[in-house]
Amino acid sequence: MNRIQLTKCEAEVMAVVWREGQVTVPQVLAAIDRDLAYTTVMTTMNILEEKKIVRRGEKVGRAYSYLPRVSREEVRHGMIQELAEQLFGGSVRSLVLSLVNSEKITAEDLSAMADAADELEKS
């Protein structure tokens, strides 16, 4: 499968789709915490459908519903790989070290990373 890339607006819409499982454009508009035009969300849904990230479902009243075709994890994986290539020369190690050295990382984050690394070494 090709790497899936999302714009900020597409990611906002997909967060609602993944959370709800099946949505209409008015439902997405109500769920997003900023002013967006109906046509913006409709265009975004059409783009997501063209990218095969959502599929059109049944009609609910006058609006079509949309369902996810890919998981949040599939999108995360593709976007992380793309980020590593674009900013770190393909080095996941450099990406992780950059995160570790970030001012925003917490002791809890570091502990979770250490636990994940331990699990990876065991497998």
Side-chain angles (χ1 to χ4, degrees), residues 52-119:
K52 298 188 183 327
I53 296 170
V54 299
R55 70 175 175 85
R56 190 178 292 183
E58 60 194 39
K59 259 190 161 181
V60 178
R62 292 177 34 182
Y64 282 102
S65 63
Y66 294 86
L67 298 97
R69 291 182 72 175
V70 298
S71 70
R72 185 185 306 256
E73 199 55 43
E74 288 174 283
V75 173
R76 279 184 187 153
H77 180 73
M79 292 187 77
I80 288 170
Q81 291 297 326
E82 190 67 26
L83 181 64
E85 286 180 14
Q86 286 181 4
L87 299 180
F88 299 95
S91 170
V92 175
R93 177 183 179 176
S94 294
L95 170 61
V96 171
L97 290 173
S98 178
L99 290 171
V100 168
N101 293 321
S102 165
E103 293 175 5
K104 294 189 177 196
I105 198 158
T106 65
E108 185 178 318
D109 294 333
L110 289 171
S111 177
M113 289 175 71
D115 291 345
D118 288 344
E119 285 299 314

